[in-house]
């Protein structure tokens, strides 16, 4: 993890340039952010442009750091063009799910690359579900006990937490965009690497379980 491919560099640069323009230009920020009312009036470009805006440098850094950590794994699995398909497909999927869940709230707005980055993370998990992930500020093991979490458990756990957060709505985080991004990462990765369905069928299907749960809950009126 963590190699800077030229494609990754270009995406980070695009996010940084676009975001810093938005930091210093309120009209620019307002024109390109995700805005339900504006999108309903036909400004569909906001569903992509908002993914390159951030609220502040810390928000930008966190998303770009996540991209830096997982991009190379996805590039290794599906190639550079495939990675771009995953990135932009996840970005759009995040926006679409946000639109779906908030279509009647004309005051709903959002910015950030987190949908795309979550899609890249979920793509990396789909490509390597048995790989272990470690928390940066914690030791990798305590004595003989390994603190790593297998990717598919991390992915499923995160998605279930996201459903919980979407239901509670107690913070200002765009959890629906994160979830939509993960759906995009899952779907586009399988389209690009369909052999995963035979190599890791059980785990690959398990990773779809939170997606099924979300839409069952939505249909039952519990979201």
């Amino acid at each position: 993890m963590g190699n800077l491919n030229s494609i990754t560099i270009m995406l980070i640069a695009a996010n940084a340039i676009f975001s810093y323009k938005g930091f210093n230009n309120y009209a620019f920020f307002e024109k390109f952010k995700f805005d339900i009312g504006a999108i309903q009036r036909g400004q569909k470009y906001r569903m992509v442009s908002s993914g390159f805006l951030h609220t502040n440098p810390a928000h930008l850094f966190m998303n770009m750091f996540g991209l830096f950590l997982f991009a190379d794994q996805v590039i290794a699995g599906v190639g550079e063009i495939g990675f771009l398909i995953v990135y932009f497909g996840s970005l759009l999927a995040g926006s679409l799910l946000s639109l779906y869940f908030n279509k009647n709230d004309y005051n709903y707005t959002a910015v950030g690359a987190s949908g795309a980055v979550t899609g890249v993370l979920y793509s990396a998990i789909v490509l390597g579900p048995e790989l272990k992930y470690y928390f940066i500020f914690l030791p990798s093991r305590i004595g003989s006990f390994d603190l790593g979490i297998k990717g598919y458990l991390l992915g499923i756990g995160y998605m279930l937490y996201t459903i919980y957060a979407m239901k509670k709505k107690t913070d200002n985080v765009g959890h629906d965009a994160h979830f939509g991004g993960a759906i995009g990462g899952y779907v586009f990765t399988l389209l690009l690497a369909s052999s995963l369905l035979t190599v890791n069928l059980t785990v690959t299907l398990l990773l779809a379980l939170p997606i099924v749960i979300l839409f069952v809950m939505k249909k039952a009126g519990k979201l």
Side-chain angles (χ1 to χ4, degrees):
M1 290 184 188
N3 293 326
L4 273 176
N5 181 281
S6 59
I7 298 295
T8 309
I9 293 172
M10 285 189 286
L11 283 173
I12 291 174
N15 273 276
I17 293 167
F18 209 72
S19 292
Y20 272 92
K21 174 73 171 176
F23 295 159
N24 299 302
N25 188 323
Y26 178 78
F28 181 87
F29 186 90
E30 290 295 306
K31 180 178 180 180
F32 292 106
K33 71 181 183 181
F34 185 94
D35 183 303
I36 291 291
I39 291 170
Q40 298 278 35
R41 293 192 297 271
Q43 296 176 15
K44 301 295 191 291
Y45 66 85
R46 291 174 180 264
M47 299 179 72
V48 175
S49 64
S50 60
F52 288 87
L53 285 173
H54 292 82
T55 54
N56 54 54
H59 185 206
L60 172 65
F61 173 78
M62 290 301 296
N63 276 330
M64 294 305 96
F65 185 60
L67 180 61
F68 163 74
L69 288 177
F70 301 106
D72 62 309
Q73 187 175 335
V74 178
I75 291 170
V78 297
E80 292 181 348
I81 299 301
F83 168 71
L84 287 173
I85 291 171
V86 169
Y87 185 91
F88 284 99
S90 298
L91 192 165
L92 187 56
S95 291
L96 285 169
L97 198 70
S98 290
L99 181 62
Y100 175 65
F101 273 89
N102 301 285
K103 59 188 175 184
N104 295 319
D105 182 0
Y106 292 98
N107 295 316
Y108 182 89
T109 63
V111 293
S114 52
V117 174
T118 305
V120 170
L121 167 60
Y122 217 68
S123 175
I125 290 173
V126 173
L127 289 164
E130 298 292 337
L131 292 177
K132 286 189 174 181
Y133 291 82
Y134 298 86
F135 295 98
I136 294 174
F137 300 109
L138 294 176
S140 59
R141 62 175 57 248
I142 297 177
S144 60
F145 185 72
D146 189 338
L147 294 179
I149 302 175
K150 286 190 175 181
Y152 73 92
L153 294 175
L154 178 64
I156 293 170
Y158 175 74
M159 293 280 270
L160 292 176
Y161 162 75
T162 303
I163 292 174
Y164 168 80
M166 289 170 68
K167 182 175 175 63
K168 288 294 182 181
K169 296 181 179 178
T170 55
D171 56 31
N172 196 34
V173 177
H175 295 288
D176 39 12
H178 296 178
F179 201 100
I183 293 174
Y186 181 83
V187 171
F188 285 105
T189 301
L190 291 182
L191 289 174
L192 293 163
S194 57
S195 61
L196 293 168
L197 289 170
T198 55
V199 175
N200 290 308
L201 178 61
T202 301
V203 174
T204 302
L205 292 178
L206 278 175
L207 285 166
L209 184 60
I211 301 172
V212 175
I213 291 172
L214 176 78
F215 286 103
V216 168
M217 288 180 66
K218 177 65 174 175
K219 188 171 183 180
K222 294 182 179 180
L223 277 175

